[in-house]
Amino acid sequence: MATQQGKLIVFSAPSGSGKTTIVKHLLTKPELHLDFSISATSRYMRNGEVNGKDYYFISPEDFQQKIAENAFVEYEEVYKDNYYGTLKTEIERIWAQGKHVIFDIDVVGGLNIKQQYPEQTLAIFVSPPSVEELERRLRFRQTESDEKIAMRLAKAEREISRAPEFDVILKNHDLETAKTDAYQLVTNYINK
Ligand code: 5GP
């Protein structure tokens, strides 16, 4: 596959919608030729996360430096003082391997990628059953304080209102069904 034929598959959704699980599932399928765009972030590293695998964990100063160097395709202060961004070098790295890039990024970031690469991007919005179910999932995960959960829920409501701007809305009411549907969507798109 030539470099310029690589595609971009964006999964965006409110935190807790299951998009990370779906993305990880697709990455286990070698026939899809996908590789994960590892974002840079200035947030703290959670238990079990690996630097250079889940994210490039960098300091807020280094993050600002990369902004100044114009190193990002898109970046955002997703939560207060927590920056996240897609490095240009990630897309280049993955396309150079002849693979398609898969992203797990927030709604604004996902739409930014789509806007910059309209011909090569499939933007999928993963929709949770309801905001109440999202809250239940976030509490069950036990990775965030009550205050942070409240922040994520407020953001979720704003994000859900932008779902119609995506190419596809993938309902995640049942995880196994959502995984199968995601596999089908990506297969159809990359073989187009
Ligand atoms: P978390 O802190 O739960 O890992 O991620 C918080 C949010 O930031 C999630 O919605 C995640 O998808 C999003 N995110 C991760 N990487 C990026 C990125 O590079 N750009 C943008 N815009 N959002 C990102």
Side-chain angles (χ1 to χ4, degrees):
M1 190 196 312
T3 299
Q4 59 271 34
Q5 287 171 342
K7 296 203 168 130
L8 305 176
I9 313 288
V10 170
F11 278 85
S12 294
S15 181
S17 303
K19 71 176 182 302
T20 305
T21 310
I22 294 170
V23 166
K24 286 193 170 149
H25 169 71
L26 295 175
L27 282 163
T28 66
K29 306 289 180 190
E31 67 276 19
L32 297 178
H33 304 288
L34 298 173
D35 199 1
F36 181 60
S37 166
I38 304 165
S39 297
T41 184
S42 65
R43 84 145 157 73
Y44 68 94
M45 202 189 308
R46 291 183 192 139
N47 265 346
E49 285 183 327
V50 178
N51 187 27
K53 181 165 172 272
D54 299 288
Y55 285 105
Y56 300 113
F57 292 95
I58 61 176
S59 67
E61 295 71 32
D62 285 351
F63 205 101
Q64 294 302 329
Q65 175 71 31
K66 289 199 184 296
I67 295 173
E69 288 165 0
N70 204 16
F72 291 110
V73 186
E74 63 78 36
Y75 72 90
E76 252 186 288
E77 188 178 10
V78 175
Y79 302 107
K80 193 166 168 1
D81 297 331
N82 283 185
Y83 286 84
Y84 296 79
T86 304
L87 292 161
K88 290 179 182 164
T89 48
E90 277 300 285
I91 297 182
E92 286 158 12
R93 172 180 74 78
I94 296 169
W95 277 354
Q97 294 166 12
K99 290 190 166 177
H100 307 294
V101 189
I102 186 166
F103 300 82
D104 171 348
I105 64 179
D106 93 327
V107 166
V108 175
L111 291 171
N112 269 332
I113 300 271
K114 173 86 194 168
Q115 196 182 27
Q116 291 185 55
Y117 297 93
E119 304 300 321
Q120 290 117 301
T121 304
L122 175 66
I124 301 173
F125 182 90
V126 183
S127 156
S130 64
V131 175
E132 291 73 29
E133 172 61 14
L134 254 189
E135 179 167 7
R136 201 188 62 73
R137 291 183 191 175
L138 285 174
R139 294 199 184 283
F140 182 74
R141 197 160 80 178
Q142 291 188 329
T143 52
E144 249 78 28
S145 63
D146 281 358
E147 187 199 351
K148 290 226 164 113
I149 289 178
M151 246 161 57
R152 281 172 189 250
L153 289 173
K155 181 165 182 284
E157 295 195 13
R158 290 196 300 277
E159 292 182 321
I160 289 169
S161 71
R162 302 202 64 183
E165 295 171 57
F166 282 74
D167 297 315
V168 190
I169 299 180
L170 173 68
K171 287 198 185 126
N172 182 12
H173 295 199
D174 169 71
L175 189 57
E176 288 314 309
T177 311
K179 282 180 184 170
T180 309
D181 292 349
Y183 180 86
Q184 207 51 56
L185 282 168
V186 173
T187 304
N188 292 346
Y189 187 71
I190 63 182
N191 291 326
K192 208 166 69 163

